[in-house]
Amino acid sequence: MLVIFDCDGVIVDSEIIAAQVFAEHLQGLDLNVTPEECFARFKGYSMKTCMKELVEMLGGPIPEHFLRGMQAETFARFESELKAISGIEHAISGVERDGWRTCIASGGSHSKMRVTLGKVGLWEHFEGRIYSAVDVVNGKPAPDIFLYAAEQEAVAPERCVVIEDSQAGVEAALAAEMPVFFYDPQEEGLRDKALLAHDRVYPFCQMAQLPALLKMM
């Protein structure tokens, strides 16, 4: 059995930081977008998908150095501000102690995860079991990244469980025919309320609860 963890918002508390930097750089392009709007609009999506949407917002090409500058500032902010999600170390150790294998499958790039996981001391723990949207054709909400992770770990999809915090990730897990534990610490739910009623979606709000919840499956 394999537990597939998302990274941003599940292992590292990176999404608010990234949304703040993204909003600041969008404002530099005369787009009046708040960090909260960035968070809601882009959460769970790969950078490739975000840049496609930005082209539509601008009505034309993205300035040449936009992405490089934004990523450099984001990584710098991660180095000074990033923390692990509360309870994640307990969750990982408990899940593995109970006999589950673990890996990471994220919309983020490998370079980003090297920074974020390295900052919280988990890069070496997961090294060799980290999969990115850049490894597949389609990012979330397509199932590609989860199916790819299962294939690389030589585990059948029906023997996998996904831990996610975004609607795109939940949709991707269901499309891969994998049950998904939806981490929702603020109990905000999903834009598509019907997803929460799906019999393979399990909302929870405290990461340290995960090992006990998996035992109840």
Side-chain angles (χ1 to χ4, degrees):
M1 299 287 282
L2 177 68
V3 175
I4 305 175
F5 288 92
D6 179 35
C7 187
D8 297 298
V10 170
I11 292 180
V12 293
D13 197 5
S14 56
E15 291 173 324
I16 292 297
I17 297 171
Q20 290 170 343
V21 176
F22 200 177
E24 290 167 5
H25 282 254
L26 291 180
Q27 290 162 11
L29 299 178
D30 295 325
L31 292 173
N32 188 21
V33 182
T34 67
E36 292 76 18
E37 289 169 336
C38 272
F39 182 80
R41 186 166 189 168
F42 298 110
K43 180 180 179 181
Y45 293 104
S46 68
M47 186 57 68
K48 180 180 177 181
T49 299
C50 293
M51 291 301 101
K52 284 183 178 179
E53 187 156 345
L54 179 54
V55 169
E56 294 181 7
M57 293 168 68
L58 290 170
I62 300 168
E64 182 178 354
H65 300 298
F66 175 85
L67 182 57
R68 186 183 308 164
M70 183 181 71
Q71 288 183 322
E73 184 176 344
T74 302
F75 287 5
R77 291 274 300 273
F78 286 161
E79 289 289 357
S80 62
E81 301 175 29
L82 187 69
K83 296 180 180 179
I85 291 292
S86 177
I88 189 61
E89 294 92 345
H90 174 84
I92 293 168
S93 62
V95 164
E96 292 176 345
R97 188 169 55 249
D98 290 338
W100 292 81
R101 293 170 56 190
T102 60
C103 70
I104 292 173
S106 172
S109 66
H110 287 287
S111 59
K112 178 183 178 183
M113 286 188 280
R114 183 178 288 274
V115 171
T116 58
L117 294 171
K119 173 66 176 176
V120 301
L122 287 171
W123 172 264
E124 291 184 356
H125 182 82
F126 283 101
E127 190 171 8
R129 296 176 286 124
I130 299 171
Y131 307 104
S132 164
V134 303
D135 299 325
V136 296
V137 175
N138 301 301
K140 303 170 189 177
D144 301 28
I145 184 61
F146 294 135
L147 294 174
Y148 178 74
E151 179 183 16
Q152 294 301 304
E153 295 296 316
V155 178
E158 60 267 24
R159 294 181 60 80
C160 298
V161 174
V162 173
I163 316 301
E164 264 289 352
D165 74 314
S166 71
Q167 178 161 316
V170 169
E171 291 175 348
L174 293 177
E177 299 187 355
M178 299 176 183
V180 54
F181 281 78
F182 169 54
Y183 177 57
D184 186 19
Q186 304 302 320
E187 299 186 76
E188 296 172 333
L190 294 166
R191 293 190 305 276
D192 184 351
K193 304 303 181 186
L195 281 178
L196 290 176
H198 196 287
D199 62 2
R200 305 197 84 190
V201 176
Y202 305 92
F204 72 113
C205 60
Q206 294 184 34
M207 189 57 72
Q209 296 174 332
L210 183 61
L213 293 171
L214 287 172
K215 287 180 179 178
M216 297 170 61
M217 286 189 64

